[in-house]
Amino acid sequence: MIDEERKKYKPTIPKDLINLSAVSFAKSDPTSCMGDQEQIQSQFSSLFGEPIIKISSDTQKSDSISMKIGVVFSGGQASGGHNVICGLFDAIGEMNPKSELFGFIGGPSGIVENQYKKLEKEDVDFVRNMGGFDLIGSGRTKIETDDQLKSSLETAKKLKLDAIIVIGGDDSNTNAAFLAQYFLDNGCTTSVIGVPKTIDGDLRNDQVEISFGFDTACKCYSEMISNIERDAISAKKYYHFIKLMGRSASHIALECALNTHPNFTVIGEEVKEKKMTLDQIVSDICDMIVKRSEMDHNFGVVLIPEGLIEFIPEMEVLIGELNSILAKNPTDPISDLSSEAKKTFQSIPKSIQDQLLLDRDPHGNVQVSHISTEKLISQSVKEKLKQWEGYKGKFSPVEHFFGYEGRAAFPSNFDATYCYALGRVAALLAKKKLTGYMALVKNLTKKSVEWVPCGVPIVSMMNMEIRKGKSKPVIRKSLVDLNSKSFKTFANSREEWMFEPCYNYVGSIQYFGPESVTDQIPKIVQLEG
Amino acid sequence: MIDEERKKYKPTIPKDLINLSAVSFAKSDPTSCMGDQEQIQSQFSSLFGEPIIKISSDTQKSDSISMKIGVVFSGGQASGGHNVICGLFDAIGEMNPKSELFGFIGGPSGIVENQYKKLEKEDVDFVRNMGGFDLIGSGRTKIETDDQLKSSLETAKKLKLDAIIVIGGDDSNTNAAFLAQYFLDNGCTTSVIGVPKTIDGDLRNDQVEISFGFDTACKCYSEMISNIERDAISAKKYYHFIKLMGRSASHIALECALNTHPNFTVIGEEVKEKKMTLDQIVSDICDMIVKRSEMDHNFGVVLIPEGLIEFIPEMEVLIGELNSILAKNPTDPISDLSSEAKKTFQSIPKSIQDQLLLDRDPHGNVQVSHISTEKLISQSVKEKLKQWEGYKGKFSPVEHFFGYEGRAAFPSNFDATYCYALGRVAALLAKKKLTGYMALVKNLTKKSVEWVPCGVPIVSMMNMEIRKGKSKPVIRKSLVDLNSKSFKTFANSREEWMFEPCYNYVGSIQYFGPESVTDQIPKIVQLEG
């Protein structure tokens, strides 16, 4: 069966990570942060300014040290997480066979409550190159309160941990830095090291070329998108509106567009930059539909990022107003809207109006993530086409949402190899007693043997941002940069993709076979690299 | 790229189909039909009772005959269709290099309107082992009226066709038999030969072991289902309700269940057989949720066949009543329902009530295929759990529908090889001047080299059924047989799948690598074989 065959895959280890007992650690100049230096420095007095560490193979052998390491998954699934654990387990075992690895159960709450499982070779072997986080589970608890921080410190002391490895996204890595600072402030020698995980691709900057999981997720979605494209061009009768996971940024939509060449892709960041209205987006899609119809092409594929709503300025205003009005439980919330927001509200289809008014979270807020943006767009297009003078073509929309399908697949060769290396880097950073660092591997456009391992201070990626009304230090989220090569490549091709037969059929992720098929790295990494 | 690599795949040819110039055709005893012999015989006076033809390799060489063949796709996409054309093209070319293949454009309307494309080697090479029907497109026109039949005959004469190959499902093959009979009645020597296509798996009987496309579609859906399973068991917080394409029968849901071991699978045929109410189905799911919650498992995966609604007797009654009431455009349609139907209507969630009342086809009928059965079930479960005394667990449902994602993927090795062989069989039946036959390959549980090629009279699969109020000869649809080995295997395992950690992760379709991974045939074929 496939899982047994897949478990046999041996990730190629970057040459600087092969012999872990003979490596050197080169320090850069002191780092700073992405902004708001003074405030960041005051919150991370011990961690601010630490250097970037570049790891290279060396001739000199170091001592064989046994370590006790804790590892935790934080947040949503991303393919490759298990391989981080495999890389870590193998690495500390190679350093010293007496080393021990503890997996905290169910996410960061496992640290707080000291719920763990000692991981043995058979546990780890069972999940080699496997998807999901099911070996130890994950969770969304944030270690923030004094009580939580104190309990975490107690856990670290009880287990005599040399390090805790936090596998998570931008917020989880921010929290890892807070925990590292707290441990230092309280005389605890346990290191805290982060590993960059998120399918969304928004944990990305000069240091982080890509987070793990993005590649596998985008390949899964691209498989389905291109299957739908081939169905569309064969049947010639449906317009498919496909919403793709990724709320804060449109990296997934961009990557999938570069893979599959759909007829239309909405990029949230462009909408925001150009201050586009919902009506403009809908009109642009209608323009395309009308022109394609003149070519007798009454079919197509449109990609929509999950977070689109929040990128449309007028919708942001509407949702903001609704949130404050609905909190008061008025009998007629619409009458309390500003005239501009009212106009926006009235312009959207009834079913989406209902979602805005009725689907609220426990705090009474509109549940933005529940809004069927794909239906909002397809229904608005349908309405507009009805009013479009002279349009005689057909329009049959079909909506899809792809998210959970791509978070727990068997990792692609790229994610499997990348994660295994990340686990080994984390082990080395722990051995070097570095804390508040993120384990990284760079140079990803090269063959994996040439990849460059390093550790980067998490604090160096931070700036101050408003979260829940308060200014907080956070890792700056990466948005799609309209000046990047990947966006420009997309922008230069999209007109052609609209009207020419350009669909690109990528097939399903291949784990065996020719390297040209199994070892492609993400397009956005290729293009920027 | 993957499409170039995939095009290189060479399907293994069954040994009896290797040398097409040296084959023998063995006839069975005369066949009958599946029921209503008298009526079927009167409608198909020339085709009724023809024998099954078994094709074997022979030592004696036959003449080299050049042929002109037309080929058409009818109905929805199914992976492997292009390979039927490749097999056909290669076969008639091997028989005589002067042979010609014409592809009718956009489905059966291409025959009626004589819209075709002469297929050359580069056209065919371009789609080897590729998904979709985009080489020539498909359509749902039925050749039924006298005018359509007459025009089709004119096309056959104009192009001097030796045969028309109809690649389609049960209805398309029924229509192929009508066309064959019409040609015979009108002195036209063009053969009409069917090829069994449909992802639904409902064109299946003693002769047809499986239709092509079923394997690839189920493998695509199973990939996504098992990715979701792994996400569910990692996150431990969502119940996923997954609707699967397949309106008339639940073969796809059964196959996917056998592949992925979800916690609950509804089989429409069982619901009908046991006369289950919607409330019973929902209660059964709630029972499971409550028990899993006691084990602290507030997550799971539930599969639902697209056609479920029509298998629930009370829903069938409700929809029937609504269709006749709504035709009269009453102001209050609900008041006209029988008390039983009214009770059913009131038991279903508001959003589904709206779909029943508002979403109607041009004839005013309820659009059963538009009903979000996955939401009907998940919302009804949510409602019931609220009323369930003492239930304190969480319940967060997520709904999915998989259909179009699986119809046009690169065909699995099984579908690629099966279809290529079907194309070669069709060529041989045409050469033998057989008409009203379906091209088939049997013995599919054996290695493909051992597969047995044959031709079976389409009429032998027919009985009379009511369609649109009239009794008509049709190929009998195959439903899930509750006494079959595949259903029993499922039924014997489902209790365990409900509560034990049994998820089976199948990964994505692999086109390269070990045979154990690339060459699995459908589970329901394995089990019945």
Side-chain angles (χ1 to χ4, degrees):
Chain A
M1 300 312 293
I2 189 165
D3 51 348
E4 290 311 314
E5 292 294 335
R6 185 60 185 155
K7 279 175 194 166
K8 294 178 192 165
Y9 176 72
K10 299 263 180 250
T12 305
I13 300 173
K15 64 180 185 321
D16 289 322
L17 292 174
I18 293 174
N19 184 354
L20 299 180
S21 63
V23 290
S24 64
F25 299 81
K27 289 183 185 179
S28 75
D29 290 337
T31 58
S32 178
C33 60
M34 305 282 274
D36 314 298
Q37 183 183 331
E38 206 171 316
Q39 289 142 292
I40 301 285
Q41 189 162 8
S42 79
Q43 297 237 18
F44 296 100
S45 52
S46 324
L47 298 175
F48 186 88
E50 289 292 300
I52 292 169
I53 304 290
K54 186 165 168 288
I55 299 171
S56 314
S57 62
D58 198 16
T59 46
Q60 210 165 354
K61 270 208 160 187
S62 63
D63 294 342
S64 160
I65 298 170
S66 87
M67 289 195 291
K68 289 182 198 283
I69 307 276
V71 62
V72 67
F73 288 126
S74 179
Q77 280 62 249
S79 291
H82 282 145
N83 269 28
V84 175
I85 293 183
C86 296
L88 188 57
F89 180 88
D90 292 351
I92 62 172
E94 289 166 30
M95 288 171 183
N96 188 311
K98 286 188 192 143
S99 293
E100 291 176 289
L101 184 62
F102 303 94
F104 290 107
I105 303 298
S109 63
I111 305 178
V112 176
E113 297 157 12
N114 198 14
Q115 293 290 318
Y116 67 88
K117 176 181 180 177
K118 184 166 182 294
L119 298 174
E120 306 292 351
K121 187 168 184 309
E122 57 269 27
D123 299 317
V124 172
D125 284 346
F126 192 69
V127 294
R128 280 186 198 274
N129 311 308
M130 295 290 103
F133 285 176
D134 44 303
L135 177 65
I136 52 175
S138 183
R140 293 190 184 270
T141 300
K142 288 185 178 165
I143 302 177
E144 287 176 319
T145 66
D146 281 346
D147 281 353
Q148 287 174 319
L149 289 162
K150 210 173 154 188
S151 304
S152 301
L153 191 145
E154 278 164 22
T155 296
K157 281 189 174 167
K158 252 186 224 158
L159 294 175
K160 295 180 183 161
L161 295 181
D162 292 287
I164 293 175
I165 313 297
V166 179
I167 303 172
D170 51 343
D171 282 345
S172 304
N173 274 281
T174 295
N175 292 335
F178 273 108
L179 191 61
Q181 181 66 46
Y182 181 84
F183 281 2
L184 287 175
D185 289 347
N186 292 276
C188 171
T189 57
T190 305
S191 296
V192 184
I193 291 158
V195 176
K197 171 227 74 169
T198 169
I199 67 159
D200 293 351
D202 54 4
L203 172 46
R204 208 165 150 238
N205 50 47
D206 286 351
Q207 301 301 325
V208 186
E209 295 182 16
I210 196 72
S211 55
F212 80 77
F214 177 79
D215 184 57
T216 306
C218 288
K219 285 190 166 117
C220 276
Y221 305 146
S222 297
E223 173 199 355
M224 290 184 272
I225 294 163
S226 65
N227 285 357
I228 287 172
E229 286 177 340
R230 196 141 207 167
D231 199 78
I233 201 172
S234 299
K236 296 190 198 300
K237 61 178 178 179
Y238 295 119
Y239 266 94
H240 295 270
F241 290 80
I242 305 175
K243 183 171 75 173
L244 295 168
M245 205 171 240
R247 251 188 83 181
S248 321
S250 304
H251 299 291
I252 290 179
L254 179 60
E255 173 73 16
C256 291
L258 291 166
N259 279 334
T260 64
H261 310 175
N263 303 102
F264 202 104
T265 303
V266 185
I267 299 293
E269 289 83 344
E270 188 180 26
V271 168
K272 184 157 195 163
E273 173 79 21
K274 296 186 176 167
K275 297 192 172 59
M276 292 176 77
T277 62
L278 177 62
D279 189 61
Q280 275 175 285
I281 300 168
V282 169
S283 294
D284 285 353
I285 297 173
C286 288
D287 278 338
M288 175 190 74
I289 291 174
V290 171
K291 280 191 204 154
R292 285 180 63 82
S293 179
E294 285 161 10
M295 304 158 73
D296 209 22
H297 289 168
N298 291 309
F299 65 90
V301 173
V302 178
L303 302 189
I304 296 160
E306 187 186 15
L308 175 60
I309 289 264
E310 291 166 295
F311 283 107
I312 303 174
E314 55 176 0
M315 292 296 293
E316 219 187 342
V317 169
L318 170 62
I319 290 167
E321 288 192 23
L322 275 177
N323 281 343
S324 36
I325 293 169
L326 290 170
K328 299 172 206 147
N329 266 316
T331 46
D332 180 11
I334 305 312
S335 65
D336 292 346
L337 288 172
S338 68
S339 66
E340 197 201 347
K342 202 179 289 174
K343 213 175 120 193
T344 307
F345 185 82
Q346 281 156 354
S347 74
I348 61 179
K350 175 80 174 60
S351 62
I352 309 294
Q353 289 179 348
D354 287 349
Q355 283 190 321
L356 285 175
L357 292 180
L358 303 175
D359 203 354
R360 289 189 266 156
D361 72 12
H363 309 287
N365 290 326
V366 171
Q367 303 240 58
V368 178
S369 70
H370 288 198
I371 296 172
S372 312
T373 319
E374 69 282 21
K375 285 206 174 120
L376 168 63
I377 300 290
S378 70
Q379 289 181 20
S380 302
V381 165
K382 192 166 197 169
E383 285 305 312
K384 190 171 277 290
L385 283 175
K386 271 188 202 162
Q387 299 153 16
W388 213 277
E389 264 178 56
Y391 179 67
K392 296 272 180 286
K394 287 173 198 163
F395 177 68
S396 303
V398 181
E399 297 89 5
H400 311 258
F401 171 43
F402 297 138
Y404 301 97
E405 294 82 352
R407 311 196 312 174
F410 296 148
S412 64
N413 279 2
F414 172 77
D415 272 327
T417 305
Y418 182 40
C419 287
Y420 191 75
L422 287 173
R424 292 175 78 82
V425 174
L428 283 171
L429 298 179
K431 186 181 175 191
K432 191 72 180 170
K433 298 193 175 305
L434 292 160
T435 189
Y437 271 77
M438 190 184 288
L440 284 176
V441 179
K442 299 196 223 182
N443 224 20
L444 299 175
T445 52
K446 300 285 189 305
K447 292 251 172 197
S448 52
V449 70
E450 303 293 337
W451 288 354
V452 175
C454 58
V456 175
I458 295 172
V459 169
S460 72
M461 303 174 192
M462 290 190 183
N463 62 186
M464 301 298 289
E465 286 179 25
I466 307 292
R467 296 285 165 95
K468 293 183 185 164
K470 282 185 189 166
S471 178
K472 290 192 172 175
V474 291
I475 294 178
R476 186 187 281 173
K477 260 193 206 300
S478 144
L479 300 179
V480 170
D481 176 358
L482 304 191
N483 291 312
S484 65
K485 281 189 200 159
S486 40
F487 181 81
K488 283 183 177 168
T489 303
F490 159 74
N492 289 336
S493 311
R494 60 179 155 186
E495 178 89 10
E496 193 187 349
W497 296 348
M498 270 189 200
F499 303 112
E500 302 298 320
C502 293
Y503 293 151
N504 192 42
Y505 309 119
V506 298
S508 52
I509 301 182
Q510 297 298 305
Y511 301 108
F512 314 96
E515 254 183 47
S516 66
V517 168
T518 56
D519 284 53
Q520 293 295 322
I521 68 170
K523 283 275 190 311
I524 61 170
V525 177
Q526 273 176 46
L527 288 165
E528 306 303 332
Chain B
M1 300 312 296
I2 189 166
D3 51 347
E4 290 312 314
E5 291 295 334
R6 185 61 184 155
K7 279 175 195 167
K8 295 178 191 164
Y9 176 72
K10 299 263 180 252
T12 305
I13 300 172
K15 63 180 186 318
D16 289 322
L17 291 174
I18 293 174
N19 183 355
L20 299 179
S21 64
V23 291
S24 64
F25 298 82
K27 289 183 186 180
S28 74
D29 290 336
T31 59
S32 178
C33 59
M34 305 284 274
D36 314 298
Q37 181 182 333
E38 205 171 314
Q39 289 142 291
I40 301 286
Q41 189 162 9
S42 79
Q43 296 236 20
F44 296 99
S45 53
S46 323
L47 297 176
F48 186 89
E50 288 291 300
I52 292 169
I53 304 289
K54 186 165 169 287
I55 299 171
S56 315
S57 63
D58 199 17
T59 48
Q60 210 165 355
K61 269 207 162 186
S62 63
D63 293 342
S64 160
I65 296 170
S66 88
M67 288 196 289
K68 289 181 198 284
I69 307 277
V71 63
V72 67
F73 288 126
S74 180
Q77 281 62 248
S79 291
H82 283 144
N83 269 28
V84 175
I85 293 184
C86 296
L88 187 57
F89 181 88
D90 291 352
I92 63 173
E94 288 166 29
M95 288 170 181
N96 188 311
K98 286 188 192 142
S99 294
E100 291 177 289
L101 184 60
F102 304 94
F104 289 108
I105 303 298
S109 63
I111 306 177
V112 177
E113 296 157 14
N114 198 14
Q115 291 292 316
Y116 66 88
K117 176 183 182 175
K118 184 165 182 295
L119 298 174
E120 306 292 351
K121 187 168 183 309
E122 55 269 29
D123 299 317
V124 172
D125 284 346
F126 193 68
V127 295
R128 282 187 197 274
N129 313 307
M130 296 289 103
F133 286 176
D134 44 303
L135 178 64
I136 53 175
S138 183
R140 294 191 184 270
T141 301
K142 287 185 179 168
I143 302 177
E144 287 177 319
T145 66
D146 281 347
D147 281 354
Q148 287 174 319
L149 288 161
K150 211 173 155 191
S151 304
S152 301
L153 191 146
E154 278 163 22
T155 295
K157 280 189 174 167
K158 253 186 224 158
L159 293 175
K160 296 178 181 162
L161 294 180
D162 293 285
I164 293 175
I165 314 297
V166 178
I167 303 171
D170 52 343
D171 281 345
S172 303
N173 274 281
T174 295
N175 292 335
F178 273 107
L179 191 63
Q181 180 66 45
Y182 181 84
F183 281 2
L184 287 174
D185 289 346
N186 292 276
C188 171
T189 58
T190 304
S191 297
V192 184
I193 290 158
V195 176
K197 172 228 75 169
T198 169
I199 66 157
D200 294 350
D202 54 4
L203 172 46
R204 206 164 152 239
N205 50 45
D206 286 350
Q207 302 300 326
V208 185
E209 296 182 14
I210 196 70
S211 55
F212 80 77
F214 177 80
D215 183 57
T216 306
C218 289
K219 285 190 165 116
C220 277
Y221 305 146
S222 297
E223 173 199 355
M224 289 184 273
I225 294 163
S226 63
N227 285 357
I228 287 172
E229 286 177 340
R230 195 141 208 168
D231 199 77
I233 201 173
S234 301
K236 296 190 196 300
K237 62 178 179 180
Y238 294 119
Y239 266 93
H240 294 270
F241 290 79
I242 305 174
K243 183 171 75 172
L244 295 168
M245 207 171 238
R247 251 188 82 181
S248 321
S250 304
H251 299 291
I252 290 179
L254 179 59
E255 173 74 15
C256 291
L258 290 167
N259 279 332
T260 64
H261 310 176
N263 303 103
F264 201 103
T265 303
V266 185
I267 299 295
E269 289 83 344
E270 186 180 26
V271 167
K272 185 159 193 160
E273 172 79 20
K274 296 187 176 167
K275 296 192 174 60
M276 292 176 78
T277 62
L278 177 62
D279 189 61
Q280 275 176 284
I281 299 168
V282 169
S283 294
D284 286 352
I285 297 174
C286 288
D287 278 338
M288 174 189 75
I289 291 173
V290 171
K291 278 191 205 152
R292 283 180 64 81
S293 178
E294 286 160 10
M295 303 158 74
D296 209 21
H297 289 169
N298 290 309
F299 65 90
V301 173
V302 178
L303 302 189
I304 297 159
E306 187 186 14
L308 175 62
I309 289 264
E310 290 166 296
F311 283 108
I312 303 173
E314 55 178 359
M315 292 297 292
E316 219 186 345
V317 169
L318 170 62
I319 291 167
E321 287 192 26
L322 276 178
N323 280 343
S324 37
I325 292 169
L326 291 171
K328 298 171 206 150
N329 266 317
T331 46
D332 180 12
I334 305 312
S335 66
D336 293 347
L337 288 171
S338 70
S339 67
E340 197 200 346
K342 202 178 291 175
K343 213 175 121 193
T344 308
F345 185 83
Q346 282 157 352
S347 75
I348 61 180
K350 175 80 174 59
S351 63
I352 310 294
Q353 289 179 350
D354 286 350
Q355 283 190 324
L356 284 174
L357 292 180
L358 303 176
D359 203 354
R360 291 189 264 157
D361 73 12
H363 309 286
N365 290 326
V366 171
Q367 302 241 59
V368 178
S369 68
H370 287 197
I371 295 172
S372 311
T373 318
E374 69 281 22
K375 287 210 173 116
L376 168 63
I377 301 291
S378 69
Q379 289 180 19
S380 303
V381 165
K382 192 167 197 167
E383 285 306 312
K384 191 172 277 290
L385 283 176
K386 272 187 202 163
Q387 300 152 16
W388 213 277
E389 265 178 54
Y391 179 66
K392 296 271 180 286
K394 286 174 197 162
F395 176 67
S396 302
V398 181
E399 297 89 5
H400 311 258
F401 171 43
F402 297 138
Y404 300 97
E405 294 82 353
R407 311 194 313 173
F410 296 147
S412 64
N413 278 2
F414 172 77
D415 272 328
T417 306
Y418 181 41
C419 288
Y420 191 75
L422 288 172
R424 293 175 77 82
V425 173
L428 283 170
L429 298 177
K431 185 182 177 191
K432 191 72 182 170
K433 296 194 176 304
L434 292 161
T435 191
Y437 272 77
M438 191 184 288
L440 285 176
V441 179
K442 300 196 224 182
N443 224 20
L444 299 175
T445 52
K446 299 284 189 304
K447 292 250 171 199
S448 51
V449 72
E450 303 292 337
W451 289 353
V452 175
C454 59
V456 175
I458 295 172
V459 169
S460 72
M461 302 175 192
M462 290 190 182
N463 62 185
M464 301 297 289
E465 287 178 24
I466 305 293
R467 296 284 167 97
K468 292 183 188 168
K470 282 184 189 167
S471 178
K472 289 192 173 176
V474 291
I475 294 178
R476 186 187 280 174
K477 260 194 207 297
S478 144
L479 300 179
V480 170
D481 176 358
L482 304 191
N483 291 311
S484 64
K485 281 189 201 159
S486 39
F487 182 81
K488 283 184 177 166
T489 303
F490 159 74
N492 290 336
S493 312
R494 58 180 157 186
E495 178 90 8
E496 194 187 348
W497 296 349
M498 270 188 200
F499 304 112
E500 302 297 320
C502 294
Y503 294 151
N504 192 41
Y505 309 120
V506 299
S508 53
I509 301 182
Q510 296 299 304
Y511 301 108
F512 314 95
E515 255 183 48
S516 66
V517 169
T518 57
D519 283 52
Q520 294 295 322
I521 68 170
K523 283 275 189 314
I524 62 171
V525 177
Q526 275 177 44
L527 288 165
E528 307 303 332

